[in-house]
Amino acid sequence: MKKVIVLGGGGFIGGHLAKRLKNEGCYVRIADIKNHEYFDHQEICHEFILADLRDPKAVELVIGEGYDEVYQLAADMGGAGYIFTGDNDANVMHNSALINLNVVHECVKKNIKKVFYSSSACMYPEHNQLDPENPNCEESSAYPANPDSEYGWEKLFSERLYFAFNRNYKLDVRVARFHNIFGPQGTWMGGKEKAPAAMSRKAAETPEGGSFEVWGDGLQTRSFLYVDECVEAVLRMMESDFLGPVNIGSDEMVTINQLAEMAIRISDKNIAIKNITGDEFIQKYGFKCPEGVRGRNSDNKLYENKIGWRVSEPLEKGMIKTFTWINEQVNK
Ligand code: NAD
């Protein structure tokens, strides 16, 4: 029986990944600073350890002897309202860097056979993402580095950390850059939710004939990958010999307003969108609208070439599943 550890398994992607690994017959240990809010622990793992991975002693306990694989998804992260305002920069960098420093060291000590690290598209340089029609997120465009957030800089640092341990200590690593993963059993309110969850919640909460706010002019572009396909892509990468870094995302690019319109269509209500930006936003919220880069899309050529598989689920299909789940939460 393969033994795996999912760090950050109390979170969105980690929970889904752990569940899949358990269903495939692995022995699964999860460590997270919090319990999973939406999954029963028996559903996703054999052992759930509450631990603060910033503490090296905790990481020493969590990463036990005899484990085959570690999936490192723990990070201090959130949606645009958390990582792009600047208010959380110090915590984001300090907390996530500490986790990665501890984990990589302990994986070498315990002879872990393979380690997966989840980086993010937020590490790509801002200057290649100014044109919403034509963003460049090819893996090779990462340098010269210029991420638009400290969250992105920490991811870039940690990618380099895993590869340095690969070169110097022969740690077998896989590094992927996730692009906006979404789906049920994820954060859907409170400021850390991502755009698909935020739009679904707003569409679910807004009464027929009403309107909801979309931050920014709505013309910024993004792509969104349904969580099951993300998990599939991670597992296929772990089976391959390709270390990365490689994008894991969808290349179905939409504007944020198109995403909002999709959520409204799925809700089957007549709802208007109110874009809020510039001074109006500052007056209302007291900080600059955290829109992020103008355009971002996953470039999947490298993944397809190296691993021979492509993500294919249309955005709308995933949005229907996500809206349905969030609508249930709203009505609870
Ligand atoms: P999430 O916030 O749901 O999961 C992260 C988990 O890390 C949380 O459960 C959190 O409690 C845990 N954590 C944070 N600090 C911890 C600590 N000190 N000790 C122990 N656990 C701690 O986020 P997610 O969407 O599931 O993302 C998983 C990973 O993928 C993260 O590394 C994230 O940066 C990366 N990523 C996600 C996306 C996305 O769209 N969701 C995009 C790019 C990258």
Side-chain angles (χ1 to χ4, degrees), residues 59-289:
V59 176
E60 199 176 348
L61 287 173
V62 162
I63 301 183
E65 302 279 355
Y67 277 85
D68 298 292
E69 294 173 354
V70 168
Y71 294 81
Q72 194 328 63
L73 288 94
D76 188 7
M77 56 117 34
Y82 187 75
I83 52 179
F84 294 127
T85 58
D87 293 345
N88 306 297
D89 284 353
N91 285 344
V92 165
M93 296 189 89
H94 183 255
N95 294 341
S96 297
L98 275 183
I99 295 171
N100 287 309
L101 288 163
N102 290 336
V103 167
V104 79
H105 171 76
E106 204 57 38
C107 285
V108 170
K109 253 175 67 190
K110 300 285 169 58
N111 281 317
I112 299 297
K113 290 187 195 134
K114 224 183 264 181
V115 183
F116 175 83
Y117 172 60
S118 54
S119 179
S120 163
C122 289
M123 47 59 63
Y124 282 113
E126 186 175 15
H127 53 253
N128 287 336
Q129 301 171 82
L130 299 175
D131 176 1
E133 303 293 323
N134 220 355
N136 176 11
C137 289
E138 202 178 289
E139 287 81 353
S140 59
S141 72
Y143 297 95
N146 182 25
D148 70 322
S149 66
E150 301 301 358
Y151 169 76
W153 279 104
E154 189 282 326
K155 288 292 188 192
L156 200 55
F157 163 77
S158 290
E159 284 188 3
R160 301 188 67 95
L161 178 70
Y162 284 87
F163 284 116
F165 272 71
N166 171 263
R167 290 194 303 275
N168 296 164
Y169 293 102
K170 307 278 172 275
L171 184 66
D172 196 7
V173 300
R174 299 288 180 278
V175 176
R177 297 169 175 164
F178 291 164
H179 289 241
N180 292 318
I181 313 303
F182 77 104
Q185 285 93 25
T187 306
W188 58 278
M189 57 176 284
K192 282 195 172 189
E193 68 279 15
K194 299 294 187 59
M199 300 308 165
S200 298
R201 188 198 69 238
K202 290 176 187 194
E205 284 174 345
T206 306
E208 169 68 29
S211 67
F212 67 68
E213 261 180 16
V214 172
W215 288 9
D217 62 12
L219 302 177
Q220 63 280 37
T221 53
R222 293 290 185 279
S223 69
F224 302 93
L225 181 68
Y226 191 67
V227 64
D228 288 355
E229 288 212 295
C230 170
V231 167
E232 180 69 32
V234 168
L235 297 182
R236 283 176 184 263
M237 186 184 185
M238 282 297 263
E239 290 304 310
S240 82
D241 292 332
F242 184 53
L243 274 53
V246 67
N247 294 325
I248 291 185
S250 158
D251 53 12
E252 183 184 342
M253 191 168 78
V254 291
T255 67
I256 294 300
N257 275 356
Q258 284 170 337
L259 182 73
E261 284 155 13
M262 192 180 276
I264 292 169
R265 203 164 53 242
I266 294 167
S267 78
D268 209 17
K269 290 189 247 178
N270 182 21
I271 295 173
I273 294 171
K274 185 179 179 324
N275 290 108
I276 171 163
T277 187
D279 291 344
E280 193 192 357
F281 188 97
I282 295 175
Q283 267 166 18
K284 180 158 184 193
Y285 291 100
F287 55 88
K288 198 169 155 274
C289 183

Side-chain angles (χ1 to χ4, degrees), residues 233 236-238 240 242 246 302-309:
R236 283 176 184 263
M237 186 184 185
M238 282 297 263
S240 82
F242 184 53
V246 67
L302 184 64
Y303 188 97
E304 289 170 20
N305 282 344
K306 294 287 181 184
I307 296 163
W309 182 76

Side-chain angles (χ1 to χ4, degrees), residues 303-327:
Y303 188 97
E304 289 170 20
N305 282 344
K306 294 287 181 184
I307 296 163
W309 182 76
R310 58 173 289 124
V311 302
S312 61
E313 187 170 296
L315 173 61
E316 183 141 6
K317 206 171 158 198
M319 278 297 281
I320 292 171
K321 292 182 261 189
T322 307
F323 175 84
T324 305
W325 181 79
I326 291 179
N327 197 34

